[in-house]
Amino acid sequence: MPARDSVADDLLGQARAAVERGDAVAATDLVARAFAADPSDPHVRDLYVGLHLARAIRLAATAREARRADIARRAIPYDTEFRDSPNVEAAFEEALRAHDDLLGADPGNEKVLVMKAALLFRRDREKGRAEALEILQRIQEVHPENRQVAYAIKKVERPCPRCGDTGFCPYCAGRGTKTFVRVERRCERCHGQGICPVCGIL
Ligand SMILES: [Zn+2]
Ligand SMILES: [Zn+2]
């Protein structure tokens, strides 16, 4: 048993104190440094994964929201060939990196693997579908009882007829809002998220 790394221990203590006072940004940074100092410490790893999981979820939501805002701003008609603006691409890249960082620390984390599959699929269905399916099927082999994974595979493997497999909400064309009698309102079908209610649950 190697001696506990005192630098990592100290940083872990500081990270926990930051969590206590509700400073998630400082805590995330401190625990990342603790993890760099001693990746083998299970206490450090658990807090690292917990805090970075929250960050990855936030970044995935940010990417989705950046795309919705981009679609609304560009007023893209529903069936037009769609390409993300560079800031949206960058948001998806950052979210993916956050997932890969987590998997670097905890390679078998099922929750993160499912989140990564969903993100790859959401970013670009054409390019991401095969990769997402591969991740999900690998989890299913080990955990055939995981119903969330079975459900996700069903969603990913077949193109969605409801939205023409664009992934965008067909009621608001991905904008998240609808204009009715000149008043702009939140689209209730997608809860303002702009994603297809049938296939976009991932
Ligand atoms: Zn909608
Ligand atoms: Zn759909």
Side-chain angles (χ1 to χ4, degrees):
M1 200 62 192
R4 286 178 64 89
D5 187 299
S6 64
V7 175
D9 258 359
D10 184 39
L11 287 165
L12 179 64
Q14 290 181 47
R16 282 178 173 155
V19 171
E20 286 293 311
R21 51 170 204 273
D23 189 347
V25 175
T28 306
D29 177 56
L30 285 160
V31 80
R33 286 161 56 197
F35 184 71
D38 185 4
S40 67
D41 183 326
H43 300 290
V44 170
R45 198 184 53 223
D46 285 353
L47 189 62
Y48 176 89
V49 169
L51 287 170
H52 282 74
L53 188 65
R55 181 172 171 266
I57 290 169
R58 211 163 47 239
L59 287 172
T62 301
R64 186 192 68 218
E65 176 54 21
R67 177 182 276 164
R68 189 205 60 74
D70 187 40
I71 290 169
R73 183 183 55 78
R74 288 156 68 193
I76 303 165
Y78 187 63
D79 44 13
T80 309
E81 184 70 27
F82 173 77
R83 259 197 83 95
D84 282 320
S85 294
N87 71 307
V88 179
E89 275 177 23
F92 273 99
E93 280 304 317
E94 194 184 357
L96 265 180
R97 261 199 313 276
H99 287 70
D100 286 336
D101 285 350
L102 271 169
L103 291 170
D106 190 4
N109 191 311
E110 269 173 78
K111 187 181 163 101
V112 180
L113 284 165
V114 173
M115 282 164 47
K116 184 183 173 184
L119 190 63
L120 285 166
F121 183 61
R122 176 167 291 157
R123 180 175 66 161
D124 185 334
R125 288 198 173 194
E126 221 168 295
K127 291 191 195 124
R129 175 171 266 129
E131 207 178 338
L133 270 179
E134 197 196 301
I135 292 171
L136 294 168
Q137 281 160 352
R138 231 184 303 143
I139 305 170
Q140 197 177 41
E141 277 171 28
V142 188
H143 300 282
E145 77 291 350
N146 188 326
R147 291 175 64 184
Q148 195 204 354
V149 167
Y151 181 70
I153 288 173
K154 267 173 83 175
K155 297 266 168 201
V156 171
E157 68 189 351
R158 269 189 296 277
C160 172
R162 193 70 199 82
C163 62
D165 208 34
T166 58
F168 301 144
C169 172
Y171 305 100
C172 64
R175 292 185 184 92
T177 59
K178 282 182 77 78
T179 307
F180 184 68
V181 219
R182 295 199 201 149
V183 180
E184 201 178 22
R185 295 168 195 272
R186 192 172 92 122
C187 172
E188 294 304 327
R189 303 289 189 108
C190 65
H191 306 288
Q193 295 188 338
I195 57 179
C196 173
V198 175
C199 67
I201 301 159
L202 280 171

